[in-house]
Amino acid sequence: MTDKQEIAQILEEMGSLLELKGENPFRIRAYQNGARALLNLDEELSKVIEEDRLTDVEGIGDHLAKSITTLAKTGRLPEYEKLKKSIPPILLEMIELQGLGPKTAKALYQKLKIKSISDLKKAATEGKIAKLKGFGAKTEKNILKAIEDQKTHQNQYLWFDAMEIAAPILKELKELKGVKQAEICGSLRRKMEIVGDLDFLVGSDEPKPIMDWFTSKKRGASIIAKGATKGSIRLHSGIQADLRIVPTDQFLYALIYFTGSKEHNIALRSLSLKKGFSLSEYGFEAKDKKSVMPKMKDEKGFYRSLSLSYIPPELRENLGEIEAAAKGKIPKLIEEGDIRGSFHNHTAESDGRNSLQQMIHEAERLKWEYLGISDHSKSSVQAGGLSEEKLLEQVEIIKKINRAKQFKTHVFTGTECDILPNGSLDYSDEILKQLDFVIVSIHSSLRQDEKTITKRIIKALEHPLTTMLAHLTSRLLLKRAPSLANINKIIDAAIANKKIVEINGSPMRLDMDWRYWRKAAEKGLLCSINPDAHSVEQLQFVNTGVNIARKGWLTKADVINTLPLKEVSKFLN
Ligand code: DGT
Ligand code: CA
Ligand code: CA
Ligand code: ZN
């Protein structure tokens, strides 16, 4: 772990934990100052650690230097874990709430005997907190808001994780007796990068045994609601799953309705009203009671009945798809089968889990025509970045493998080259020139201000040897906010310099965000869908990337790694 921000956060938390313990204020302040010092550090943390210069940094003493080094090297801090275990869990939960510090938490714990967040909520609702000495109505209101905010964040899951949970349930549902149709709906079907819950829809004329099966003890940690045709459970992972069972002849309408989005549904409804029909999850109802909708057998037919061309679920966000479908202008979206290879992949030489040979072997198994290898560059010490010698060694090995035609898959030599804080690249041109392609990306000083970080990335895009930009904002979904980089300016710079921008298929990145792609591609931006694989299994992340490309309205022609080997080689030259 060499992300300064992550380490600073743990130091900050150490301070809070010590405060909860009633420790010496100087010790507490030492951690808070250390956290700040780390965030303000202009240099690469890994470099400072390597050169044993941490204690030279103002605000970092001997003890803290040791803790930071341990965290950077192992990703853990035993002292922190021990301290955490010694504190009542409710206190830890309370300080997780936005704006609620250790002092307040401790006071509430002691004075009101708060034992759970719902105790806290109850006390706040009953006005008990405002009445405490040193507290007031404003604090009470803030606490309530913090509890609400936390709840909304709790019900968020990465698409990939949610799908791994939902897929086997759908499979079992389909095999149940009496189930005629079954589908996953909601944001999961629309391939949103983050989903709130799982929505299952079943068409059946005998719902009872199906609902009993769904809500049976072994499946869920708890039942939230159970009716004859509607049920909700909470699964062991914490995610909520909804099941709706409808008569088979209503399935199509319910499928449209529960796939959503809500905004898309509302637009469909107003469109059908103009045609004299009222649309609901149950079907169309003619306003004059006389006209009837033609019978339709699938979603294509449904959209046709509204004079629209078919709209794939990924596009149903009411972001122009209805207007496009009315003109017959829904593009033919890229599909998994269009992918012929990928560029951004790591081996065990840097922080990957598998060897070069294993990675190529798997790419061959996937029938990829080419595989790009892009291990980290030398400044990414934490990720085992390659020295110049190591990189050139790898290049030689790859050339040999290609020459010997050891695999059906051709291997491109490359790097994921750090964009240093000042915008220059981590290897010299002399080195970069010897590679087939150069990916540039940011792994340090993520918190630069908008102007600095935007300029930094644009400088890297202007470098003549750069091929593509990886994970534009460095965001980690549900974990780390995107950098302040100005995405539109970077899109324009990439187009102007004829550089590719990646869709990173790693489920927690999915960066550049799909909301930018439609317009960017119209302006001429070329995309590469990359798995950013750190193991053989993760090569499949290219498919999560395809989902996002589809949400961004991309076609095969917008994506470089749909090209056959010959053409890609020509492009890279
Ligand atoms: P989520 O769960 O927050 O990730 O997002 P969704 O889109 O899966 O939303 P969810 O689970 O609340 O509802 C599933 C679908 O049901 C939603 O996509 C559209 C439909 N739906 C839900 N509430 C409404 C509503 O108030 N009006 C309309 N027209 N449709 C709704
Ligand atoms: Ca949902
Ligand atoms: Ca739902
Ligand atoms: Zn990478």
Side-chain angles (χ1 to χ4, degrees):
M1 181 196 293
T2 40
D3 189 61
K4 289 174 207 162
Q5 188 140 21
E6 272 180 274
I7 295 183
Q9 200 179 335
I10 292 185
L11 297 185
E12 188 79 53
E13 231 179 284
M14 274 295 288
S16 306
L17 294 176
L18 291 169
E19 206 171 340
L20 284 174
K21 276 262 172 196
E23 276 283 344
N24 170 343
F26 291 106
R27 247 191 105 194
I28 298 167
R29 194 136 349 117
Y31 278 99
Q32 292 164 342
N33 289 342
R36 205 160 319 128
L38 211 50
L39 285 176
N40 288 332
L41 189 68
D42 280 331
E43 291 180 80
E44 294 298 309
L45 177 60
S46 47
K47 193 157 169 248
V48 179
I49 291 177
E50 208 178 6
E51 295 170 2
D52 205 11
R53 291 189 285 108
L54 264 179
T55 45
D56 295 351
V57 179
E58 197 176 330
I60 299 182
D62 279 338
H63 183 77
L64 228 54
K66 259 195 214 124
S67 306
I68 294 171
T69 309
T70 309
L71 272 168
K73 295 222 163 114
T74 66
R76 301 178 54 182
L77 187 60
E79 191 187 358
Y80 164 78
E81 287 162 22
K82 202 170 137 210
L83 189 60
K84 219 169 161 173
K85 276 202 195 112
S86 72
I87 290 168
I90 177 60
L91 283 176
L92 299 176
E93 281 178 51
M94 279 202 269
I95 61 167
E96 286 278 306
L97 290 171
Q98 195 58 249
L100 209 154
K103 247 196 231 111
T104 317
K106 230 170 110 182
L108 291 169
Y109 178 69
Q110 284 165 350
K111 291 186 183 162
L112 293 176
K113 308 268 177 296
I114 303 285
K115 290 208 177 57
S116 66
I117 295 292
S118 59
D119 282 356
L120 182 66
K121 190 172 174 185
K122 189 157 172 274
T125 321
E126 290 169 357
K128 283 189 183 152
I129 293 173
K131 279 189 212 127
L132 287 180
K133 199 169 158 233
F135 288 72
K138 193 158 167 234
T139 313
E140 192 169 74
K141 218 176 103 196
N142 288 342
I143 290 176
L144 274 175
K145 184 172 180 310
I147 295 173
E148 281 313 307
D149 286 354
Q150 198 184 46
K151 243 201 240 140
T152 51
H153 200 68
Q154 256 170 10
N155 293 334
Q156 292 189 324
Y157 299 84
L158 295 180
W159 180 87
F160 189 86
D161 296 342
M163 198 59 185
E164 282 208 318
I165 299 170
I169 299 179
L170 179 69
K171 186 164 175 281
E172 284 188 62
L173 263 176
K174 283 187 166 164
E175 286 161 2
L176 279 188
K177 214 177 137 248
V179 172
K180 293 277 171 347
Q181 305 116 312
E183 200 50 81
I184 291 171
C185 296
S187 49
L188 199 61
R189 183 164 186 239
R190 301 198 312 281
K191 316 267 171 69
M192 280 293 272
E193 67 274 35
I194 290 168
V195 306
D197 64 3
L198 313 179
D199 301 293
F200 295 99
L201 177 68
V202 161
S204 172
D205 297 314
E206 37 177 338
K208 182 157 183 338
I210 300 167
M211 188 54 76
D212 287 344
W213 173 87
F214 185 70
T215 52
S216 70
K217 253 266 150 351
K218 69 165 198 340
R219 173 164 329 284
S222 63
I223 297 174
I224 298 166
K226 182 181 178 182
T229 59
K230 282 186 211 178
S232 287
I233 58 175
R234 188 158 314 280
L235 300 169
H236 292 295
S237 57
I239 196 166
Q240 178 177 327
D242 296 344
L243 171 66
R244 176 64 90 82
I245 308 171
V246 299
T248 49
D249 61 344
Q250 263 171 35
F251 184 81
L252 178 58
Y253 300 100
L255 179 64
I256 297 281
Y257 183 89
F258 289 112
T259 298
S261 64
K262 185 172 162 185
E263 291 73 18
H264 178 84
N265 287 350
I266 291 170
L268 286 182
R269 188 176 153 82
S270 73
L271 194 63
S272 72
L273 280 176
K274 281 192 201 130
K275 291 187 175 282
F277 292 90
S278 163
L279 172 65
S280 74
E281 59 185 280
Y282 308 108
F284 288 109
E285 203 182 329
K287 301 195 86 180
D288 59 13
K289 308 272 179 215
K290 275 183 286 187
S291 28
V292 278
M293 266 286 177
K295 254 256 171 283
M296 50 197 92
K297 65 173 203 304
D298 55 13
E299 286 186 307
K300 253 195 192 108
F302 172 89
Y303 282 102
R304 204 180 312 119
S305 74
L306 290 173
S307 315
L308 300 174
S309 50
Y310 175 67
I311 302 176
E314 293 91 331
L315 301 190
R316 300 182 196 168
E317 303 290 349
N318 196 27
L319 293 173
E321 72 278 13
I322 304 220
E323 295 77 356
K327 292 189 210 137
K329 290 224 162 104
I330 295 288
K332 182 168 176 350
L333 301 180
I334 181 170
E335 288 168 13
E336 289 181 4
D338 294 331
I339 296 292
R340 296 189 190 229
S342 80
F343 291 99
H344 184 171
N345 301 295
H346 299 271
T347 74
E349 287 300 315
S350 64
D351 59 350
R353 227 177 302 142
N354 293 102
S355 68
L356 175 64
Q357 302 271 340
Q358 288 170 323
M359 293 297 282
I360 312 171
H361 188 263
E362 179 67 7
E364 184 180 51
R365 199 189 66 80
L366 293 170
K367 300 209 161 57
W368 283 4
E369 294 176 28
Y370 45 90
L371 175 75
I373 295 296
S374 61
D375 275 315
H376 288 286
S377 62
K378 61 182 186 198
S379 282
S380 277
V381 180
Q382 82 289 351
L386 270 52
S387 67
E388 279 90 355
E389 295 73 46
K390 273 266 171 217
L391 176 61
L392 295 181
E393 223 172 83
Q394 189 186 55
V395 170
E396 282 317 307
I397 295 172
I398 292 176
K399 280 188 181 158
K400 230 186 250 163
I401 291 174
N402 283 334
R403 265 199 308 267
K405 296 213 183 331
Q406 205 181 327
F407 298 92
K408 287 198 194 91
T409 302
H410 178 81
V411 188
F412 287 121
T413 59
T415 174
E416 177 174 15
C417 187
D418 265 46
I419 306 173
L420 301 176
N422 67 8
S424 56
L425 299 187
D426 198 16
Y427 291 124
S428 69
D429 292 7
E430 211 44 58
I431 299 288
L432 296 177
K433 257 199 289 203
Q434 308 187 42
L435 306 172
D436 294 326
F437 68 95
V438 175
I439 299 178
V440 298
S441 67
I442 285 186
H443 295 94
S444 63
S445 302
L446 305 177
R447 293 297 139 208
Q448 290 176 329
D449 61 70
E450 175 179 338
K451 215 167 135 200
T452 310
I453 200 161
T454 306
K455 231 173 89 188
R456 174 184 178 190
I457 296 175
I458 291 179
K459 189 170 160 200
L461 285 171
E462 285 167 353
H463 193 295
L465 293 171
T466 294
T467 314
M468 68 178 79
L469 170 67
H471 49 72
L472 193 155
T473 72
S474 302
R475 74 178 182 190
L476 296 179
L477 293 168
L478 305 179
K479 255 205 199 135
R480 182 167 75 204
S483 77
L484 298 175
N486 184 314
I487 299 176
N488 286 317
K489 282 193 181 148
I490 288 169
I491 290 170
D492 290 342
I495 295 170
N497 291 284
K498 300 202 170 58
K499 308 293 179 177
I500 301 166
V501 170
E502 160 188 273
I503 287 182
N504 188 300
S506 171
M508 58 182 176
R509 290 197 186 265
L510 304 178
D511 192 5
M512 173 168 100
D513 192 282
W514 59 267
R515 293 160 187 83
Y516 289 88
W517 272 108
R518 182 180 176 196
K519 209 169 119 207
E522 266 169 18
K523 282 200 216 166
L525 184 62
L526 202 53
C527 174
S528 177
I529 304 179
N530 291 326
D532 196 357
H534 286 74
S535 68
V536 289
E537 296 84 18
Q538 290 184 358
L539 285 173
Q540 312 250 14
F541 283 171
V542 84
N543 295 332
T544 345
V546 169
N547 291 344
I548 290 305
R550 289 173 62 85
K551 280 200 87 61
W553 292 59
L554 297 191
T555 67
K556 194 175 159 181
D558 299 317
V559 179
I560 175 91
N561 49 323
T562 61
L563 290 178
L565 174 61
K566 246 200 190 137
E567 285 174 48
V568 168
S569 302
K570 220 191 297 159
F571 181 92
L572 294 179
N573 278 326

